[in-house]
Amino acid sequence: MLDQSSEIALVVIAVTGIMFLLVSTIIFFVFSYQKRYLKHKHELQALEQAFNQELLKSELEIKDQTMNNIAAEIHDHIGQLLSVIKLNLALNPDPALKDTKTLVAQVIKDIRGLAHSMHTDALSGKTIDELFSVEIERLKRATPLEIHYALKGEVQPLDNQTEVFLFRIFQECLNNILKHADAKNVFVELIYDLSLLTINIADDGNGFDSDKAKEGLGLRSINYRAKLIGADLHLNSSPGLGTRVSLVINTDKKILHGS
Amino acid sequence: MLSKIYLIVILTSTLIGLYYYKALPQYLKYLSIALVCTLLVELIAFFVIKRNIWFFNIFLVFEFPFYIWLYRQILTSERQKKIIVYFLTIQFIAALLNLFFFQGLFKFNNYSYALGCILICICSLFYYTNLLQSPQPQALKKLPMFWISTGHLIYYSCNFFLTGLLNYIMSINLDLAKQLFAITMGLNIIMYTLFSVGIVCSTSRQK
């Protein structure tokens, strides 16, 4: 039989031990609940991100398909009609039509250039330098922009899809400049350095606060395409000081990420 | 021996608080000041005053309301904050009444101590519910107040029964009371170690 003191000691130790276990259980529960909750939240965020990426991918695919359709329509229909007009004009020896004939020939050339720059299949087999040069020439004729183009280093071939993506990013940047920047000059640089290709596109337009700017489809598609080909994208802009987009890609990279 | 380890642990905790004082959020600055006060009280009680129960009785009038008030600084729920103000008032008045009219200055005020234990445990649980209901959950091990409230919950819930019966045990067998007091010392060591972890993780979080 235990005496009174031992009984008290036993009860105190037992109750304290039970309390300790109880509290430990509560703390463990809080810990594990929080952990599961965090995991669940991260999963939800990952799902949401994947959904947004998929949505953007679909938007871009639709955009590409639409551009392909328009390009085909321009090339096959409007191009054909213009060719017929050119033939008809050629049959007429009137010297007063000489300027018109020249203009029609120019329009046919421009229309074909536009159709080629829009159609993805027409871009394959060309280096990024060739694609940029053709597009810049086309834009110089069609817009009031002064585009200054510089190629530095020795051109290194990239895989076809990467070149198309880079070209689309370039087009999107120029499109943004035309739509929003109100710029007079655009400076495009293509720099090949060892295994790196750097593309700089800068303008002297309005610029914007890059921290506060809302990311529209244009900027999102630039980001998405850059991410897909594993390129580092840097965008610097501030109100009144123009915008500069830099894209750096490893020319040794062969695989598209995430596609 | 355990008392000395306890003093070393609380000294370490206080020094950590003072070392990082400038980098700490406001509520941890208050905690650091409270740690300095606690250390001074423990040192005076340990080395200077022989019959020190009156000294602890006065200290606990302020100690519990302070910790309860600390939770008021942290909690986000208005309802819980209101309840905490009631807790604070009840604890302070109960401790004063007990000190002056019931158990007196020279007998350990275990009634007000036990009440304080319950109230602080409730505050800790309030904090846990706050964490679980937070719309922006964070990793618990990175939250300083999680460690502090865990220390409180372990110490005060486990110590409640022993301190509640302490006067009774002392009246029966003083030696047994002294032996059982080792449990309180052990719990104190756990609590102040967790306080140190909380303070350190607060500074690492800011980096």
Side-chain angles (χ1 to χ4, degrees):
Chain A
M1 282 290 283
L2 292 169
D3 62 11
Q4 197 184 13
S5 298
S6 306
E7 266 181 25
I8 291 169
L10 198 68
V11 169
V12 167
I13 291 166
V15 172
T16 309
I18 290 166
M19 284 307 286
F20 189 78
L21 278 177
L22 204 69
V23 168
S24 306
T25 313
I26 293 172
I27 294 163
F28 177 75
F29 167 75
V30 172
F31 231 121
S32 62
Y33 180 86
Q34 177 86 349
K35 210 172 170 182
R36 269 188 293 136
Y37 183 53
L38 272 175
K39 196 180 163 197
H40 177 66
K41 205 172 175 195
H42 285 153
E43 279 170 1
L44 274 180
Q45 277 172 346
L47 271 174
E48 201 181 324
Q49 209 173 1
F51 173 75
N52 285 338
Q53 289 281 46
E54 202 56 41
L55 202 67
L56 186 64
K57 196 177 162 193
S58 306
E59 279 176 34
L60 291 177
E61 275 171 9
I62 292 167
K63 198 177 164 188
D64 278 355
Q65 192 55 48
T66 311
M67 277 172 77
N68 284 349
N69 290 342
I70 295 169
E73 192 63 24
I74 289 172
H75 188 268
D76 301 342
H77 186 68
I78 301 172
Q80 287 300 322
L81 284 176
L82 284 167
S83 297
V84 173
I85 293 168
K86 192 185 167 192
L87 275 173
N88 287 344
L89 284 171
L91 294 173
N92 193 333
D94 187 352
L97 289 172
K98 194 186 168 195
D99 284 349
T100 312
K101 286 175 189 171
T102 316
L103 280 172
V104 168
Q106 184 62 48
V107 169
I108 291 171
K109 200 180 165 193
D110 285 355
I111 283 281
R112 278 192 183 150
L114 179 66
H116 283 155
S117 79
M118 286 171 82
H119 204 294
T120 309
D121 293 344
L123 303 174
S124 55
K126 289 176 184 162
T127 65
I128 195 78
D129 170 49
E130 286 166 347
L131 291 172
F132 275 28
S133 301
V134 171
E135 184 70 359
I136 286 167
E137 282 312 312
R138 191 182 70 75
L139 285 168
K140 272 182 179 175
R141 283 198 301 272
T143 67
L145 281 178
E146 276 292 322
I147 306 177
H148 310 272
Y149 176 56
L151 169 71
K152 292 172 188 170
E154 197 180 321
V155 176
Q156 291 164 39
L158 289 160
D159 70 87
N160 198 33
Q161 208 164 359
T162 305
E163 286 192 336
V164 171
F165 271 51
L166 287 173
F167 182 63
R168 289 287 181 235
I169 292 172
F170 170 70
Q171 278 184 317
E172 199 66 62
C173 289
L174 287 174
N175 193 28
N176 281 345
I177 293 170
L178 279 167
K179 266 176 25 187
H180 309 293
D182 193 23
K184 285 191 178 75
N185 294 290
V186 178
F187 304 90
V188 181
E189 273 184 327
L190 205 61
I191 306 165
Y192 286 96
D193 183 19
L194 296 173
S195 60
L196 286 181
L197 165 62
T198 308
I199 299 171
N200 293 321
I201 303 160
D203 69 69
D204 60 354
N206 297 331
F208 59 93
D209 191 341
S210 46
D211 294 331
K212 290 178 185 169
K214 211 177 153 187
E215 208 178 57
L217 177 63
L219 212 52
R220 273 195 299 142
S221 74
I222 290 174
N223 273 321
Y224 177 70
R225 284 190 158 121
K227 197 175 161 189
L228 224 53
I229 55 175
D232 286 329
L233 181 82
H234 304 281
L235 190 144
N236 290 310
S237 186
S238 47
L241 294 172
T243 304
R244 184 187 176 86
V245 176
S246 286
L247 201 71
V248 182
I249 185 166
N250 192 338
T251 47
D252 290 341
K253 273 182 190 167
K254 301 281 184 209
I255 306 154
L256 281 178
H257 299 269
S259 57
Chain B
M1 177 65 184
L2 216 53
S3 308
K4 282 175 186 163
I5 295 173
Y6 162 59
L7 283 177
I8 292 167
V9 170
I10 193 171
L11 175 70
T12 313
S13 194
T14 310
L15 290 176
I16 291 171
L18 291 177
Y19 183 75
Y20 291 116
Y21 188 79
K22 279 186 181 171
L24 295 177
Q26 198 58 41
Y27 71 95
L28 285 182
K29 283 183 179 169
Y30 296 138
L31 181 75
S32 301
I33 296 166
L35 283 173
V36 174
C37 297
T38 311
L39 178 69
L40 287 175
V41 167
E42 294 290 354
L43 288 175
I44 292 168
F46 195 80
F47 293 109
V48 183
I49 309 168
K50 280 203 169 177
R51 294 181 67 83
N52 53 26
I53 283 182
W54 64 272
F55 195 54
F56 280 113
N57 282 340
I58 293 170
F59 181 60
L60 75 85
V61 173
F62 302 101
E63 186 191 17
F64 283 106
F66 167 74
Y67 282 126
I68 295 170
W69 174 79
L70 196 66
Y71 281 97
R72 199 184 174 278
Q73 306 298 306
I74 291 298
L75 295 175
T76 49
S77 157
E78 286 303 318
R79 195 166 148 262
Q80 288 176 347
K81 277 185 174 183
K82 230 180 224 178
I83 295 171
I84 280 182
V85 173
Y86 292 132
F87 281 1
L88 205 153
T89 318
I90 290 167
Q91 172 63 31
F92 187 65
I93 293 170
L96 279 178
L97 288 175
N98 196 22
L99 187 68
F100 290 115
F101 301 108
F102 297 101
Q103 291 189 298
L105 194 61
F106 299 103
K107 190 179 175 187
F108 178 56
N109 286 184
N110 59 344
Y111 297 158
S112 33
Y113 193 93
L115 177 67
C117 287
I118 294 169
L119 296 182
I120 287 190
C121 286
I122 295 171
C123 289
S124 305
L125 294 173
F126 275 174
Y127 178 70
Y128 283 172
T129 57
N130 243 252
L131 283 179
L132 297 180
Q133 288 166 357
S134 166
Q136 287 173 322
Q138 299 172 61
L140 291 180
K141 53 188 175 188
K142 290 180 183 169
L143 293 176
M145 200 57 198
F146 171 73
W147 294 105
I148 292 160
S149 58
T150 301
H152 276 155
L153 193 62
I154 291 173
Y155 177 79
Y156 289 111
S157 63
C158 297
N159 208 25
F160 165 73
F161 190 69
L162 174 62
T163 43
L165 287 178
L166 197 62
N167 283 336
Y168 172 68
I169 300 168
M170 278 163 80
S171 68
I172 291 173
N173 188 337
L174 194 61
D175 281 341
L176 177 68
K178 281 179 184 170
Q179 281 168 7
L180 287 176
F181 202 65
I183 296 174
T184 303
M185 285 294 139
L187 291 170
N188 258 322
I189 290 167
I190 295 173
M191 180 170 75
Y192 286 106
T193 307
L194 291 175
F195 279 14
S196 303
V197 174
I199 294 169
V200 170
C201 92
S202 151
T203 54
S204 64
R205 213 176 153 218
Q206 282 168 5
K207 283 172 195 168

